[in-house]
Amino acid sequence: MATMENIVTIVLSVLGVIILFSGLFIVQQQEVAVIERLGKFVRTAGPGLNFKIPLIESVRGRVSLQVRELDIPGKFKTRDNNFISVFVRVQFIVIPTSVYEAFYLLANPAEQISAFVSNTVRAKVADMNLADVFAHQDSIGEAVNMQLSTRMAQFGFQITNSLVTEIMPAAEVVAAMNKVLETENLKKAAENEGEAHRIQMVKKAEAEAESKKLQGEGIANQRIEIAKGIKIAAELMREGMSGADDHAVMQLLILNQHYDMLNNIGQSNAKIMLVPFSPQSVEDLQKSIAGMFMGAEAAGGVPGPKPPKI
C-alpha cells in the first residue's frame, strides 16, 4: 500500500513539474507575445523568459516589432489617358503600445496596406499628366505616406516611409516617347550641322577676302617695285647713251621687256605662240599705248596717264 502511494506521489510530482515548466516560454528580441486566458486577451509579454498559467493561459501569437517592407505594384491611368505601372515600396512597423490592434483588428495587414496604397496612387495619378508623374514622383510617395499614416494608425501600424521605386509606361507609350526623342535628337543634329556649315562658309569667305586683300597688296607692291626698276634702268640707259632722248630710251625699255617676255615663254611649257618681235612692231606697240592714253584723256575729260618722262 505504501508503495502505491509513493508511485502516485512521484507521478503527481512529475506531472506538476511538467505542468510548471509548460508555463515557461521565451520571447525573442524585437518581438511581443500575445497571451490569452481561456480564449480572452489578457496581456502581452516582452523579450526574455516569461511565465503563463499552465492549462489556463496560452500564447496566442507573436508580433514582430521589426520594420517590414511591402512592394506594391499597380496599373493606373493618367489625366492624358496614358496607362502606366507604378511600383510603391512601403515600410511599416507595429506600434509597441498598439500590439492588440495590430494583432486582432486586421486579418491580413499586407492586403489592407496594398488596398490603401492603390487607392491613393490611383487618385493622385489621375490628376497628373504622364510627364508630371515622372517629374513629381516624390509627391506621390508623400501622398501615400500621409494617407497611410492616418489610416493605419488606428490598426496599430506606423508607416515609416513610402517610396515610388519604378514608373513604367505601356509599351506603345514607350515607343512613342522614344520616337519623339529620336526626332528631337535628329532636329538638334540638323541644327548643329547647319550652324557648322554656316560657320565654315563664313570662315571660307573671310579667308578668301583676306587672300584677295593680300593678293592685291602684293600686286600693288610688285608694280611699285617694277616702276622703281624701270626708273633705275632708264637712268642707267640715259647715262650710257649720250644724247638719247626720252623717246629712244622708252623704245629701248619696251623692246627689252618684249624680248624678256619671249624668253619667259620659251622657258615654260607653253604651246606655240606667234607674236611680232621686229623693232617696227615694238615701236607700233609704243604708239598704240600712247594713243590709248590720249584717247582716254580726250573721252573722259580727265587727264590720263601720259607716257613717263624719263
Side-chain angles (χ1 to χ4, degrees), residues 235-256:
E235 292 176 352
L236 293 175
M237 288 180 182
R238 188 179 292 107
E239 293 176 359
M241 298 173 58
S242 178
D245 57 3
D246 293 341
H247 180 73
V249 173
M250 178 61 68
Q251 280 188 328
L252 183 60
L253 287 174
I254 293 176
L255 181 63
N256 186 46

Side-chain angles (χ1 to χ4, degrees), residues 36-150:
E36 291 182 351
R37 182 180 298 164
L38 300 178
K40 181 181 179 181
F41 172 79
V42 290
R43 68 180 188 279
T44 59
L49 181 63
N50 292 270
F51 180 79
K52 60 181 177 60
I53 301 175
L55 304 178
I56 297 178
E57 294 181 344
S58 62
V59 178
R60 179 67 174 80
R62 298 170 186 267
V63 177
S64 175
L65 298 181
Q66 292 180 326
V67 177
R68 286 178 283 177
E69 291 185 345
L70 184 63
D71 291 324
I72 305 170
K75 292 185 178 181
F76 309 97
K77 183 180 179 181
T78 62
R79 184 170 59 184
D80 51 357
N81 297 323
N82 288 308
F83 289 92
I84 59 175
S85 297
V86 179
F87 296 84
V88 180
R89 174 168 296 176
V90 176
Q91 297 176 340
F92 62 97
I93 188 174
V94 174
I95 302 173
T97 57
S98 302
V99 174
Y100 174 87
E101 291 81 359
F103 187 80
Y104 287 101
L105 296 185
L106 292 179
N108 193 327
E111 290 185 1
Q112 191 65 45
I113 292 176
S114 298
F116 285 153
V117 169
S118 297
N119 290 336
T120 304
V121 175
R122 184 178 295 107
K124 187 71 175 178
V125 170
D127 291 335
M128 304 173 68
N129 293 327
L130 179 61
D132 295 333
V133 174
F134 283 96
H136 303 95
Q137 64 180 16
D138 291 341
S139 64
I140 299 176
E142 292 174 359
V144 171
N145 193 38
M146 183 176 62
Q147 294 290 335
L148 282 182
S149 297
T150 302

Side-chain angles (χ1 to χ4, degrees), residues 208-218:
E208 290 180 355
E210 184 68 19
S211 175
K212 291 184 180 299
K213 176 183 177 182
L214 295 177
Q215 183 179 4
E217 293 177 354

